[in-house]
Amino acid sequence: MIKKIVYTLLFIWPSAILANEPKDWQLGFQKSASKSMDDIVWFHDYMLVPIITAITAFVLFLLLYVCVRYRASKNQVPSTTSHNTLIEVIWTLVPCLILIVMAVPSFKVLYSQDEIPKADVTIKAIGYQWYWGYEYPDENIIFDSYMIDEKDLKENQPRLLAVDNAVYVPVNKVVKVMITANDVLHAWALPSFGVKRDAIPGRINETWFKADRTGTFYGQCSELCGIKHAFMPITVNVVSEDEYNKWLEEAKVKFAKEEIKNKIKIVKKIREIR
Ligand SMILES: [Cu+2]
């Protein structure tokens, strides 16, 4: 029965199947596509459901209890007690224990993201006002990635998220991302991979992800970087190893041609100025 309802919902709401981008009226995270994001979702649920819910309910209960039990009409002579050693020890120790219960798994998640395993693919992402530039240092591939204007969008390309030149990475491989910026602070963020790092001029930040399923994933610049901050999205295509190798071959030719074209343009401009 439940299965039927889920399938019906998926059928009448097809965008629910393609869960690699934000949805209208979405609550919660985008569907995870990496171990890092699984950990983050687990930690979020672990904090929210048992710990925060219990604390909130307990404090609410105490407030209501005090309001009712000690209201002026029922409690005309207030207590003058100002110290109770046992209670003071309890309300110091219990929050400490709660903090430890939260901190230990939080550090575990944090450090698992911080330690970069041996990378299979290395990408450099450079933030510019207002687009991303990418380099595959081992493959000699360099290209820029601009958002596609609304009027030029093709079918299935989401508004404000699709780009002209997407990043390609192989599935189930460790991808190291080196992140920097050329002008102001930006941030390279991809929710489904659980990745977000500041892009700082003159400095390289590193992070990594290992996508565990193929598909197109969308992210955005996540550091307010100027007037077109909202218009420098990130598109990552996770593909099979074969498709990735094919893309590498094509990209080497395509972006080399573009580079030559750009150089010719610059030479022409210089000649015009002269
Ligand atoms: Cu930016």
Side-chain angles (χ1 to χ4, degrees), residues 70-214:
Y70 297 103
R71 65 189 188 275
S73 59
K74 278 273 169 193
N75 193 48
Q76 277 162 0
V77 188
S79 157
T80 52
T81 310
S82 65
H83 286 289
N84 184 318
T85 313
L86 178 69
I87 281 199
E88 281 168 24
V89 169
I90 292 174
W91 76 37
T92 309
L93 274 184
V94 171
C96 283
L97 288 175
I98 296 174
L99 285 181
I100 292 171
V101 166
M102 295 191 317
V104 171
S106 130
F107 283 133
K108 251 173 106 179
V109 174
L110 204 63
Y111 288 124
S112 77
Q113 295 175 359
D114 206 40
E115 274 168 33
I116 303 178
K118 200 183 164 299
D120 299 307
V121 176
T122 303
I123 296 174
K124 191 170 161 195
I126 307 141
Y128 296 93
Q129 279 178 318
W130 287 274
Y131 61 96
W132 287 98
Y134 294 100
E135 289 177 19
Y136 287 63
D138 305 326
E139 308 290 345
N140 278 325
I141 294 174
I142 300 174
F143 62 90
D144 293 333
S145 179
Y146 285 87
M147 186 190 81
I148 301 175
D149 275 344
E150 208 174 333
K151 59 176 177 5
D152 302 324
L153 284 176
K154 293 194 191 96
E155 213 185 325
N156 292 332
Q157 281 184 328
R159 178 179 157 268
L160 300 182
L161 290 173
V163 298
D164 55 356
N165 295 319
V167 171
Y168 278 74
V169 293
V171 70
N172 286 324
K173 296 274 174 189
V174 174
V175 179
K176 181 161 108 175
V177 194
M178 300 193 293
I179 299 161
T180 187
N182 196 47
D183 34 45
V184 297
L185 293 180
H186 301 268
W188 201 81
L190 237 141
S192 291
F193 301 158
V195 163
K196 182 185 273 181
R197 277 285 185 286
D198 274 0
I200 302 166
R203 195 182 146 159
I204 286 192
N205 272 340
E206 289 183 339
T207 188
W208 70 282
F209 64 85
K210 189 167 138 186
D212 54 23
R213 60 192 163 89
T214 56

Side-chain angles (χ1 to χ4, degrees), residues 199-245:
I200 302 166
R203 195 182 146 159
I204 286 192
N205 272 340
E206 289 183 339
T207 188
W208 70 282
F209 64 85
K210 189 167 138 186
D212 54 23
R213 60 192 163 89
T214 56
T216 304
F217 298 86
Y218 296 101
Q220 285 171 306
C221 175
S222 296
E223 180 70 62
L224 197 53
C225 60
I227 194 165
K228 284 168 83 181
H229 162 64
F231 309 111
M232 49 182 296
I234 298 154
T235 304
V236 175
N237 283 324
V238 179
V239 295
S240 67
E241 179 96 52
D242 288 346
E243 283 173 275
Y244 174 68
N245 288 329

